[in-house]
Amino acid sequence: MNLTMRTLVGGLIIAAATVGAWWAWLGWETGYTVDPETGATSGPYAPWQVAGCVLTLALIAAVGGWLLSPWVVAPVMTVAFTVAWAAHAASTDGTGLWAVGAALVLVGTAAGATVVSVGARLIRRRTGRSAG
């Protein structure tokens, strides 16, 4: 498989895995929790859901950075996760604050995917292993 085809297929797999991570950990959650004693509202995500999603995304970025260029991995993951998150948030938020959340998700996903995929690429180079 030539480099262009490998990059295209790899990018599509990274995008699908990223959207799959969003769906598996966060996409199904729509409710907020209200503490009956204090009246405090939390949610819609539990801390374990966010932690699981972040760890899954880190794994995707690491494998992607090992096999593909981080300059493919980071933008693909950023766009895929932000679009999935924002589409859901926009459909369930009547305040319009989803746009602020989407901006924060974009920045966080870009930073995390870049750091992890570049780190994986640097480790691969240091160990002298090829992507296959």
Side-chain angles (χ1 to χ4, degrees):
M1 184 180 306
N2 68 34
L3 182 60
T4 302
M5 185 58 73
R6 181 173 175 214
T7 300
L8 177 63
V9 170
L12 290 172
I13 291 169
I14 293 289
T18 300
V19 171
W22 169 81
W23 183 82
W25 290 105
L26 308 176
W28 52 271
E29 185 66 75
T30 58
Y32 287 84
T33 304
V34 178
D35 185 323
E37 290 185 21
T38 65
T41 303
S42 64
Y45 311 120
W48 65 267
Q49 288 174 282
V50 176
C53 189
V54 168
L55 291 173
T56 304
L57 292 173
L59 178 63
I60 294 167
V63 171
W66 188 273
L67 298 174
L68 300 167
S69 169
W71 312 121
V72 171
V73 175
V76 167
M77 287 186 71
T78 300
V79 170
F81 193 81
T82 303
V83 167
W85 187 92
H88 184 261
S91 71
T92 60
D93 176 34
T95 67
L97 288 175
W98 69 267
V100 174
L104 295 172
V105 166
L106 180 118
V107 170
T109 306
T114 300
V115 167
V116 173
S117 63
V118 168
R121 176 52 58 107
L122 292 174
I123 291 168
R124 188 187 100 184
R125 283 187 181 166
R126 180 167 234 167
T127 61
R129 298 184 186 192
S130 69

